Structure formats: structure tokens, C-alpha cells
Amino acid sequence: MASDATGEQLDAVVETVRAAGGSAFVSRGVHRTIVGLVGDIEQFQSLNLQTFAGVADVVRISTPYKLVSRDNHPATSTVNVAGVEIGPSTFTLIAGPCAVETPEQTLAAARMAKNAGAALLRGGAYKPRTSPYAFQGLGEKGLRILAEVRDEVGLPIVTEVVDAHDVDTVASYADMLQIGTRNMQNFGLLQAVGSIGKPVMLKRGMNATIEEWLMAAEYVAQRGNLDIVLCERGIRTFETATRNTLDISAVPVVHQLSHLPVVVDPSHSGGRRDLVVPLSRAAIAAGADAVIVDVHPHPEQALCDGPQALVDEDLEQLAAAVRDLPPLLGRRLS
Ligand code: PEP
Ligand code: MN
């Protein structure tokens, strides 16, 4: 309450809360009185208490996300993607081309990924491009290529869906559906992927706070799908040396706040091949449950994100990092 709030103003707040079925605990200090509310928080929100005379501020203490919060679910979740575990006792490498371009390119990239120790293959068939003139992906033809390569190489596939209308089509091929940074707050799309029985990788919006990201995950969870992994892929800052700034703090912070596994994408955050291995090492050290990286057999010919794609030399270093570092943190490679 404001320091000059009257007794009637305090009573009005307490009575309103009680009439709404909540409890109100009044603590009187020397200068201020604080009213602690216990009960259904969402209902308290609709009381608009901050507009009441004499109220100085309304501060929410509990997290606005319930299903993905660690409060209600102390053990870290393990998400099973067609038999591949992403969770606290494993470390998972996900690798593949940024975009599916041809069957040959996808197969070559998948073999590179597998040789480096990847357990899952990534690759976009529907590409959310900043420019409408840029390569938009092969659509369902790309999904068919991914499915063929999965059969040939034996790696389950992770692929992006950009439109709620395509969720069923993408889910009929994919082992895990990716929601990209540009769609993190596309709530209709989040609800659509929440209603299908496939795991979801939810990338952090490039301008989103961690709380907004967890609220986005809550949209998926609320529809009944708790097989969610969160992917930190870099955020926009004033820095121009890198494509985005990898928010490495997000890994331990999200692990404290949520039970969901955390993946790091060092390719889209740095945007530069030479940064992918150091950022991957940092991600593993910070406790990431997986990293997802772009690889390409001929980055100079790539239709999307060639400058960040790993080639054979860097992949060897990455393979060494994912083999040697996770065991130091008590994890085995998926
Ligand atoms: C991607 O992974 O291919 C991609 C488009 O990533 P982001 O949404 O993080 O930019
Ligand atoms: Mn990309």
C-alpha cells in the first residue's frame, strides 16, 4: 500500500481479495503496509488491484508459467526423440544442413553429422527467411528427402515448421519439430505443435526475455505436450562482430527456472564457422544438454547460412569436444 493509504483503502483491498476466494495477509511496518495474497493468481490478476486507491504496487512472486516451471517439477525432464535421449544424464549432438537443398547434399551432410557423433539430424525444408527473395526451402519435397536420408543413415530428424497449417504434414515426417526464433511468439503455431504427439524444440526469440521464452513453452505444454526442449540461439545486442550474442547465462538460468532440457545453437548465434567449436565447448561447460550445429559438404555453394556451416576440419574438433567434455560433467554421449 502507499505510505499515505487510509484504513478504508486497505480494507477495500482485503475485502475484494476475500470476496474473490483468496486469502489476504496484512503486515504492518513502520512506513508501509504490505498485503500478501494467497490463492488463484490468475483470478487476482483480473481484480486490477493496481488501480485501487491507496495501492502503490502489485508484485507477482510466483512464476507465471506453471507446467514448465521447476517449482512444480523438481527433476529435470528427459525428452525422448525416437529413442534418442535429451536430458541431464546425456549430451546430444544434433547436426545437419541449415536447409535441405538436394538429396546428395543432405545425405553428405548427414554422413558428416554421424561421423562427428551426432545422434540427430537437423535440416530445414520450410525456411523462415528475412528476405522473400531468398531460398525458402523445398517444402514437402525437402521432408521426403530428409525421411529418405534418415532411413539411409539411421539418424532421427529435427525440422522446422513455420506455419500452423503445415504442422500435420511436418509431423508426419519429423521426429522432432522445431519452432524457430522468428515464431517463438506465434501462439497459434505453438498451440498447434502442442496438440501433436511429437517432441518440440522451441528456439528463443532473438528479442525475447527468458520469461517470455518460458511463457511460449507454456503454450505448448498447456495443450498437453510436455516433450519440449528449449534452444538458446543468440539474442540481439549492440554487438556487431557476431550475428547474434550467445546468451550463455541462459543455460544455467533456464535450468534453475525450468525442468526442460536446454540446447545451444552455436551456429546461428555466432554466425561464423570459426566460433562454432569454442561456443560449443562453452555450452557443454555451462551445462547444455545438447548442441545443434550446421554442417555442409560445400559451404561455398550453400543456399542458406554457408558462412557458419562446419566442414570436415572443424567437425573433427567438434567431435573431440563432444566426446571428451561431457564425461567430465557426468554425462554420456547420446
Ligand atoms: C535454423 O535453425 O535453421 C534457423 C532458422 O534458426 P533460427 O530460428 O534460430 O534463426
Ligand atoms: Mn540457418
Side-chain angles (χ1 to χ4, degrees):
M1 304 298 293
S3 47
D4 59 356
T6 65
E8 289 80 50
Q9 289 170 341
L10 175 63
D11 290 345
V13 169
V14 170
E15 276 158 31
T16 303
V17 171
R18 291 190 180 147
S23 306
F25 298 94
V26 177
S27 342
R28 284 172 217 276
V30 180
H31 299 293
R32 272 183 193 277
T33 297
I34 295 171
V35 188
L37 312 192
V38 177
D40 179 350
I41 303 220
E42 305 316 323
Q43 201 191 349
F44 294 155
Q45 232 99 76
S46 64
L47 300 177
N48 289 321
L49 292 172
Q50 64 277 16
T51 65
F52 279 41
V55 171
D57 201 3
V58 177
V59 181
R60 182 173 180 141
I61 307 293
S62 66
T63 57
Y65 40 87
K66 298 186 173 67
L67 300 169
V68 307
S69 163
R70 200 178 270 281
D71 289 347
N72 307 319
H73 193 299
T76 305
S77 292
T78 296
V79 173
N80 189 311
V81 184
V84 175
E85 285 184 4
I86 306 180
S89 51
T90 53
F91 178 79
T92 307
L93 176 63
I94 309 168
C98 177
V100 174
E101 298 166 12
T102 64
E104 297 73 27
Q105 166 258 5
T106 307
L107 183 60
R111 293 208 162 113
M112 292 166 75
K114 187 158 190 176
N115 287 339
L120 296 171
L121 173 66
R122 63 147 289 148
Y126 297 84
K127 296 303 302 175
R129 304 305 298 280
T130 302
S131 165
Y133 303 109
F135 176 59
Q136 303 286 311
L138 299 179
E140 192 166 358
K141 185 173 163 220
L143 296 175
R144 282 197 291 272
I145 294 173
L146 277 172
E148 279 160 23
V149 171
R150 167 181 53 203
D151 294 344
E152 174 112 18
V153 181
L155 296 178
I157 53 185
V158 184
T159 194
E160 180 161 356
V161 57
V162 299
D163 189 312
H165 294 110
D166 297 324
V167 167
D168 288 336
T169 306
V170 176
S172 70
Y173 295 90
D175 298 295
M176 176 155 76
L177 280 78
Q178 173 175 329
I179 302 288
T181 190
R182 294 163 185 80
N183 271 316
M184 188 205 82
Q185 285 188 318
N186 182 337
F187 300 118
L189 181 60
L190 296 175
Q191 288 170 330
V193 298
S195 306
I196 49 130
K198 291 266 168 102
V200 174
M201 181 167 75
L202 176 63
K203 289 191 145 193
R204 178 181 183 179
M206 61 184 90
N207 301 307
T209 65
I210 288 174
E211 182 166 292
E212 288 163 343
W213 186 18
L214 294 172
M215 292 300 284
E218 190 79 6
Y219 267 89
V220 179
Q222 202 212 18
R223 288 289 167 120
N225 188 351
L226 264 162
D227 289 326
I228 307 166
V229 297
L230 298 165
C231 178
E232 162 61 41
R233 51 78 69 204
I235 52 175
R236 284 208 161 158
T237 67
F238 53 83
E239 183 53 68
T240 54
T242 49
R243 185 175 177 181
N244 294 278
T245 299
L246 176 61
D247 181 9
I248 200 75
S249 318
V251 177
V253 169
V254 171
H255 273 150
Q256 279 172 26
L257 297 173
S258 174
H259 58 90
L260 299 177
V262 181
V263 181
V264 167
D265 181 341
S267 305
H268 288 83
S269 35
R272 287 169 35 182
R273 176 174 310 131
D274 59 325
L275 301 181
V276 173
V277 170
L279 294 180
S280 299
R281 292 187 186 122
I284 298 169
D289 301 294
V291 295
I292 179 166
V293 301
D294 286 6
V295 305
H296 198 289
H298 304 289
E300 67 290 353
Q301 293 165 17
L303 297 179
C304 184
D305 288 348
Q308 69 196 31
L310 295 180
V311 287
D312 291 327
E313 307 86 77
D314 335 277
L315 258 179
E316 274 169 36
Q317 286 188 35
L318 182 70
V322 304
R323 186 189 60 224
D324 298 339
L325 299 181
L328 300 175
L329 293 134
R331 293 173 185 265
R332 67 187 152 80
L333 192 60
S334 275

